Amino acid sequence: MARVVPRPEMTLAEKAYIPEILRGMRVTWSHFLKGFNEPETLPVQSYPEVQWEIDRNYRAKHRLMKRPDGEPRCVACFMCSTACPARCIHIEATESDDPRIEKKPAKFDIDLLVCVFCGLCAEACPVDAIRMDTKVIALAADTRGKFVATKEQLLDWNPADYPASDTQSQKAPGGLLNAEARARWAQGDAT
Amino acid sequence: MSNSYNKPVLPKADSKKVSIVVDGADVEVPEGTNLVEALKTIGIDTPHFCYHQDLPVAGNCRQCMVETDGPRGMGLAIACYTPVRPGMKVATDRSSEKVKTARKAVMEFLLANHPLDCPICDKAGECTLQDNYMSSGKHESRMREEIGKQYKGAPEHRHLDAKGQDRGGKHIDLGPTVILDQERCILCDRCTRFMRDVAGDEQLYIAARGDHAFITTFPGQPLQHDYDLNVTDICPVGALTGKHFRFQQRVWLLSKTETIAPDDSLGANITVEHHDGHVWRIMPRRHPDVNKSWISNATRLLYQTLSENRLTGGSFRGADVPLADAVERARELVHGARKVALVASGHLTLEDNAALLALAESLGSRAEVFGGSWLAVGAPDGIARSGDPVANRLGCTLLGISDNLSDLVRRAKEFDCLVVAGHDLWAADAERAKSLSVIPERIALSAWHDATAQASTLAVGIRAWAEVRGSMINVQGRIQRLQAAPTAPTPDLEPAWQVISRLGHLGWTSEVDAFRFAQGRIPALSGLNYRTIGSQGRILEGVAP
């Protein structure tokens, strides 16, 4: 059953049209003049010179997490590419050189033009190897090929850009916890 | 321990029925079978690991527990080794808490030291352990995390993993084809039973005892057999994996196309598994009367040739030409020739050879059809090969194509145009094939850049066996279907029958036209169509030699 919504009754002043138009223009002009006279009070930013602080939880460009020795944490299990609704993750697996690890990615490409930034890859990852917390949201390139982020590009990030509380990032080479993690890694602990 | 005398009795279409009581309901099941098979016929799946239809029953995994009535009332028994008895009472997990608990307990023991490898395990997605956990496990973990999993296998393969845990038995190289992961093994001993009872060469065995037991080869001996990759299929977990497919693709991404093996006249039933237009592996498809559940390593690795050295266009006197031009030129050559020799091939389908016969018919007395093969015929191995590499030899014979390649060699000078369809004559016997080079115009329809394509003046690319629909008649006189996987290297490639139809202006639009022509030549095919042939094929009456 369709629900009938009665139209609000208009008063005589509203029916006359002109007074209502003038009332609307008053709002428009008041904003215009306010921006004209005191622009610093406006709730806008001069993007792109000034940018918003992006939250870590914002789903931005991906990065691949690293083990203490700099190798990717990824074990090439294809969970992310299986979960990916856009099918933009292309992985090729190979045997790892480290006898403690069985499988590693030989190729790990994310086609950022196809990616819908849904975050399902990061959610599906069983080893916390892929994250979307780089805060990189504006992507620019002059060919389609350059929008494909390779394994090397995804591994190219600096622990200094991440907070000290992000212990997993700080265990990567160059991070605050790297020396300690490296020593434990040599003994066989990679947690 | 298993022996060849305790092969399971499988239900047949004409099996006598007996009445038993399952979960309180009277049902009719085939007589003489075990409970796993009997329950399957009434739609109840019993989870199991060690039981396999084509292997002797071992009864060691204890997962298929059901309750049956005995002298002391209802009690647990393994369904795989309990034969059906008229009037017996059976309780499955649908009615019995005891059965549920027993199966759950078995799962808990099996998983106690099973590594959490699923993300990197090649079996994940088709793993019996995963399936049975979902159907009858789902227990809460009672493991103590500070102790973790224990490795109980061969001590020389023990190591600490990247998390400092006790692990071992990883990627042990068993031989040229198979890699063993002892830690994942659940000791169902299917592989040892396969090697002993099917392959007939006992190369795998279980060493040590109790929960320290592990699968291995004899010291210093590799696992090496023409059929050894079948152990990777029957392995219910990821303990045995084939080197050819290791880490290549996750199994849940693969689409399956049911077809038959083109390299042997037994026509082993296979499934071509592909993803993204690329064939990743070939798996056996069970057929009780053809290849059971087995295929040879050679058949299994055939997919590798599908992406190698393919003829994707045409080639005229050594120069590449577009496919359409090559077909056009072939048509001119065939129609301009004084006398044409058409060489049929048992490597191609019935449809392709029917097209060749129709082409000969349209050319009238100017054309002559030759057939046969120069490849050596071996002996059947009793598993999944007949030894004859010409898959559709019987089909060609039934079409009336005789084995007269030697005639062609002798009379080569009479012809001025030769059409070889899907037949690598130059590779089979270069010496004899050389005498065909006196024929000035040699046209090869080939899927590969093979010796014959190179020796021809004009080569036209066609689709390979995995990319065509059609049928072949195997050595038993069974007509079986080939299905097309969408993996042709270029979409322009056409099946051989279609190219031949273009050469002869036959106007055929689908393989059904070709099949109808073949029906006209082979009376035994009358009344059949692709649907009635079905996925299991049909025995043709009175055609087997």
Side-chain angles (χ1 to χ4, degrees):
Chain A
M1 240 326 256
R3 193 163 61 96
V4 180
V5 181
R7 282 180 178 247
E9 272 301 313
M10 282 198 281
T11 62
L12 187 66
E14 282 167 351
K15 280 182 186 160
Y17 186 75
I18 301 289
E20 280 300 292
I21 288 296
L22 291 176
R23 201 158 69 90
M25 289 310 284
R26 210 182 105 216
V27 176
T28 309
W29 279 99
S30 69
H31 279 292
F32 175 75
L33 292 172
K34 191 178 165 200
F36 209 68
N37 296 327
E38 33 196 86
E40 65 283 355
T41 64
L42 278 185
V44 293
Q45 270 186 322
S46 344
Y47 185 86
E49 289 82 14
V50 182
Q51 297 206 2
W52 285 99
E53 179 57 27
I54 295 164
D55 198 87
R56 278 271 168 232
N57 294 330
Y58 190 89
R59 295 194 296 269
K61 191 187 159 184
H62 318 67
R63 64 171 169 145
L64 280 178
M65 303 298 284
K66 287 184 265 195
R67 297 184 195 270
D69 61 351
E71 282 293 303
R73 286 177 67 85
C74 173
V75 292
C77 69
F78 288 60
M79 294 300 153
C80 50
S81 64
T82 301
C84 181
R87 302 196 180 175
C88 66
I89 307 181
H90 304 283
I91 306 173
E92 272 170 27
T94 184
E95 201 96 28
S96 164
D97 316 319
D98 192 331
R100 297 172 298 178
I101 301 158
E102 201 160 342
K103 210 175 168 189
K104 70 170 186 186
K107 193 184 108 178
F108 194 107
D109 290 351
I110 300 181
D111 192 338
L112 294 167
L113 282 184
V114 180
C115 177
V116 294
F117 295 92
C118 64
L120 287 181
C121 51
E123 215 164 298
C125 184
V127 291
D128 187 18
I130 186 168
R131 288 197 189 174
M132 297 182 74
D133 57 358
T134 54
K135 299 189 181 183
V136 178
I137 57 162
L139 304 165
D142 49 11
T143 62
R144 282 167 196 274
K146 287 182 190 163
F147 278 101
V148 179
T150 61
K151 184 176 86 173
E152 288 69 32
Q153 288 164 9
L154 293 166
L155 283 169
D156 184 22
W157 50 270
N158 186 356
D161 298 339
Y162 294 87
S165 58
D166 181 356
T167 53
Q168 199 59 265
S169 296
Q170 298 306 335
K171 283 179 188 171
L176 303 170
L177 306 173
N178 180 247
E180 190 195 336
R182 231 186 150 86
R184 279 169 61 195
W185 173 250
Q187 292 162 17
D189 191 349
T191 41
Chain B
M1 236 339 101
S2 63
N3 284 296
S4 48
Y5 59 77
N6 54 6
K7 277 268 170 77
V9 180
L10 302 178
K12 293 200 173 62
D14 56 350
S15 294
K16 222 180 112 195
K17 299 275 178 162
V18 293
S19 184
I20 64 170
V21 183
V22 177
D23 297 328
D26 287 321
V27 290
E28 298 269 305
V29 295
E31 190 183 25
T33 58
N34 58 50
L35 278 177
V36 171
E37 295 297 334
L39 292 175
K40 203 186 282 173
T41 59
I42 56 168
I44 301 176
D45 273 329
T46 312
H48 55 78
F49 295 102
C50 69
Y51 174 73
H52 189 280
Q53 286 185 318
D54 297 314
L55 291 175
V57 179
N60 59 32
C61 76
R62 320 309 285 182
Q63 176 72 92
C64 60
M65 290 284 193
V66 290
E67 272 195 282
T68 57
D69 61 332
R72 279 167 288 180
M74 296 295 274
L76 290 170
I78 48 171
C80 67
Y81 208 36
T82 307
V84 167
R85 174 165 47 78
M88 82 190 296
K89 289 198 185 91
V90 182
T92 68
D93 61 329
R94 301 195 302 178
S95 68
S96 163
E97 271 309 309
K98 209 172 178 182
V99 170
K100 250 187 226 172
T101 325
R103 290 183 184 172
K104 204 177 212 177
V106 169
M107 280 306 305
E108 194 170 0
F109 273 124
L110 286 177
L111 288 172
N113 286 318
H114 190 83
L116 297 172
D117 267 355
C118 301
I120 54 161
C121 177
D122 278 328
K123 203 74 173 190
E126 55 178 10
C127 171
T128 319
L129 207 54
Q130 288 181 333
D131 293 348
N132 290 0
Y133 176 76
M134 295 313 286
S135 71
S136 46
K138 287 195 179 164
H139 50 265
E140 290 285 313
S141 175
R142 290 191 279 172
M143 307 307 288
R144 284 166 57 186
E145 227 171 73
E146 69 274 19
I147 295 175
K149 308 250 171 191
Q150 300 290 306
Y151 171 66
K152 301 274 183 88
E156 66 267 28
H157 294 305
R158 164 166 277 128
H159 71 80
L160 290 181
D161 77 348
K163 289 182 178 159
Q165 256 193 9
D166 180 25
R167 302 287 294 271
K170 290 301 200 191
H171 41 83
I172 300 169
D173 198 343
L174 280 191
T177 51
V178 177
I179 284 191
L180 167 68
D181 191 311
Q182 278 175 350
E183 200 180 29
R184 293 180 192 156
C185 176
I186 58 163
L187 295 167
C188 68
D189 98 334
R190 272 184 178 183
C191 51
T192 60
R193 273 179 284 152
F194 171 82
M195 290 310 290
R196 177 168 53 225
D197 294 305
V198 180
D201 191 356
E202 197 167 353
Q203 296 179 350
L204 289 170
Y205 75 111
I206 296 180
R209 293 187 199 169
D211 73 341
H212 287 271
F214 56 90
I215 293 282
T216 184
T217 54
F218 287 94
Q221 301 288 315
L223 172 66
Q224 193 164 15
H225 190 272
D226 289 345
Y227 282 84
D228 60 9
L229 278 171
N230 285 296
V231 300
T232 65
D233 302 339
I234 55 176
C235 183
V237 294
L240 293 163
T241 48
K243 287 182 183 170
H244 66 291
F245 186 64
R246 192 170 157 81
F247 300 161
Q248 291 299 301
Q249 197 58 249
R250 302 316 305 255
V251 297
W252 56 78
L253 299 172
L254 300 173
S255 309
K256 297 173 170 59
T257 302
E258 294 184 349
T259 185
I260 58 167
D263 65 333
D264 187 86
S265 71
L266 191 65
N269 286 214
I270 56 170
T271 309
V272 167
E273 306 203 352
H274 53 89
H275 173 59
D276 265 352
H278 187 84
V279 179
W280 291 96
R281 65 173 178 180
I282 289 174
M283 294 289 271
R285 180 159 59 90
R286 188 168 191 279
H287 192 302
D289 303 322
V290 179
N291 57 320
K292 298 237 164 44
S293 302
W294 324 121
I295 55 172
S296 68
N297 288 0
T299 302
R300 190 182 297 264
L301 299 179
L302 271 182
Y303 75 92
Q304 291 169 343
T305 61
L306 287 172
S307 51
E308 273 171 18
N309 199 26
R310 286 295 295 271
L311 187 59
T312 50
S315 142
F316 182 61
R317 299 195 199 286
D320 286 346
V321 290
L323 196 59
D325 295 0
V327 175
E328 186 53 43
R329 205 178 283 268
R331 182 158 51 194
E332 286 164 14
L333 287 176
V334 168
H335 287 278
R338 186 174 38 80
K339 195 141 173 58
V340 189
L342 304 170
V343 180
S345 160
H347 302 293
L348 293 182
T349 61
L350 214 53
E351 286 74 2
D352 298 333
N353 287 303
L356 210 65
L357 292 180
L359 173 64
E361 216 168 65
S362 76
L363 292 172
S365 61
R366 290 194 294 129
E368 211 170 317
V369 178
F370 296 89
S373 170
W374 288 331
L375 294 175
V377 177
D381 61 9
I383 308 177
R385 283 177 93 82
S386 69
D388 182 354
V390 184
N392 197 19
R393 192 188 290 271
L394 189 55
C396 285
T397 312
L398 291 173
L399 278 173
I401 299 165
S402 35
D403 191 348
N404 54 358
L405 272 181
S406 45
D407 279 5
L408 174 62
V409 171
R410 210 177 49 242
R411 295 166 44 208
K413 287 201 174 67
E414 293 175 24
F415 299 96
D416 61 349
C417 182
L418 171 75
V419 179
V420 184
H423 203 153
D424 199 354
L425 291 176
W426 268 259
D429 193 335
E431 204 49 48
R432 277 193 269 185
K434 208 187 282 171
S435 50
L436 299 178
S437 300
V438 298
I439 304 176
E441 296 299 347
R442 301 178 299 278
I443 305 170
L445 309 186
S446 177
W448 288 274
H449 245 302
D450 52 18
T452 303
Q454 279 159 24
S456 306
T457 49
L458 174 63
V460 183
I462 55 172
R463 290 195 184 191
W465 58 273
E467 298 140 17
V468 297
R469 242 156 67 95
S471 53
M472 287 190 181
I473 300 176
N474 81 352
V475 69
Q476 304 166 320
R478 182 186 298 274
I479 184 163
Q480 304 191 101
R481 269 189 331 182
L482 284 90
Q483 301 271 30
T487 56
T490 62
D492 304 336
L493 283 182
E494 288 176 336
W497 65 262
Q498 201 160 3
V499 175
I500 297 167
S501 154
R502 288 186 197 285
L503 300 188
H505 300 287
L506 303 176
W508 289 357
T509 52
S510 98
E511 43 281 305
V512 177
D513 295 327
F515 188 71
R516 290 216 182 96
F517 184 89
Q519 278 177 317
R521 294 292 176 101
I522 307 176
L525 289 182
S526 60
L528 285 181
N529 60 40
Y530 289 140
R531 194 175 298 160
T532 50
I533 292 170
S535 63
Q536 299 270 290
R538 284 278 280 254
I539 284 278
L540 301 179
E541 288 307 322
V543 303

